[in-house]
Amino acid sequence: MGRKRSNIFLTVFETMPIDYAASRAAVEKRLEEVRQYRQVGFIRQEAGMTVNYEPRYHGTTNLVSKPAEQTAIRNVDREAELLRKSELLDKAMGGLTKIQREVIERSYLDDEGEYDFISCGEMGISDRTYRRIKADAIRILAVAMKLEVYEVPERLEDKLEDKLEESPRMFGNRERFEELCKVK
């Protein structure tokens, strides 16, 4: 066996506390969004033409509602955003190894929707190896697409505030409790 290649994305960000479950959910959501965009394309939203018979009382803002204009702007912006996300995913997939890229494409981007254990058999690897490769690839994609979610350590002031809310009765009054809890 040779030395395991380490990915630059994982070595740079190893020391930062990353919430892997939330990061994985964000990457899976992005992969699903891009898969739908690539398969179906962008579905434009149309302006509604429902007449409203109720009186509309406006203030002195002199603003006029422009639903057709707002819908056109929303359509153009959303399509550009989806195209940008698709291109970013392509760039991030370029940073994966060949087998990681194949695992991600089979699991998330193919339109066949086959189960992971079927893909394992076709690729000739075990289920455990497949899941390990998939988890590594998702971590790399999270960092490459800037979707990683960092764990926020609890601050001491937050803990004291929680105690302040639940325990002032123990000390008789709030001022005395605050005096005792001051951080020096």
Side-chain angles (χ1 to χ4, degrees):
M1 279 324 285
R3 236 177 78 192
K4 183 181 174 187
R5 266 181 45 189
S6 63
N7 194 300
I8 187 70
F9 292 121
L10 295 180
T11 56
V12 170
F13 294 100
E14 267 181 357
T15 60
M16 302 174 92
I18 295 177
D19 184 3
Y20 291 111
S23 297
R24 180 184 179 107
V27 170
E28 287 177 346
K29 181 180 176 187
R30 176 69 55 89
L31 288 169
E32 179 65 20
E33 189 176 16
V34 169
R35 183 190 65 81
Q36 288 176 356
Y37 171 68
R38 288 179 179 176
Q39 286 180 359
V40 178
F42 178 69
I43 299 174
R44 295 186 173 276
Q45 183 180 7
E46 295 186 14
M49 295 303 216
T50 305
V51 179
N52 190 3
Y53 293 106
E54 297 176 12
R56 296 177 57 191
Y57 301 107
H58 296 287
T60 57
T61 60
N62 296 328
L63 293 178
V64 178
S65 174
K66 300 177 185 176
E69 179 182 325
Q70 292 169 351
T71 304
I73 291 171
R74 190 179 313 117
N75 285 337
V76 170
D77 289 346
R78 180 71 178 143
E79 188 171 10
E81 178 187 354
L82 287 172
L83 181 63
R84 182 187 59 78
K85 287 179 180 180
S86 179
E87 291 171 353
L88 181 63
L89 178 64
D90 288 339
K91 288 180 183 177
M93 292 283 281
L96 299 176
T97 63
K98 183 178 178 182
I99 193 159
Q100 287 174 336
R101 196 174 311 117
E102 185 177 355
V103 165
I104 294 295
E105 286 173 357
R106 282 177 176 261
S107 295
Y108 297 105
L109 299 176
D110 282 349
D111 56 346
E112 296 173 10
E114 60 187 28
Y115 294 106
D116 285 348
F117 68 89
I118 295 173
S119 297
C120 295
E122 291 175 355
M123 293 174 65
I125 57 177
S126 69
D127 185 44
R128 181 181 172 130
T129 303
Y130 186 86
R131 284 186 279 122
R132 183 181 46 80
I133 292 169
K134 185 175 173 181
D136 288 343
I138 286 177
R139 283 201 320 253
I140 292 169
L141 287 176
V143 173
M145 293 190 299
K146 299 180 182 175
L147 295 174
E148 68 272 10
V149 178
Y150 295 105
E151 293 178 357
V152 180
E154 287 191 48
R155 294 180 11 217
L156 183 59
E157 294 89 21
D158 293 339
K159 289 181 182 178
L160 289 177
E161 283 296 322
D162 292 340
K163 287 182 182 178
L164 185 63
E165 294 300 322
E166 66 188 29
S167 303
R169 288 175 278 155
M170 291 172 47
F171 295 96
N173 62 7
R174 188 177 184 98
E175 292 80 21
R176 175 76 177 133
F177 182 73
E178 288 176 357
E179 183 180 311
L180 291 173
C181 289
K182 283 190 181 174
V183 179
K184 295 177 183 174

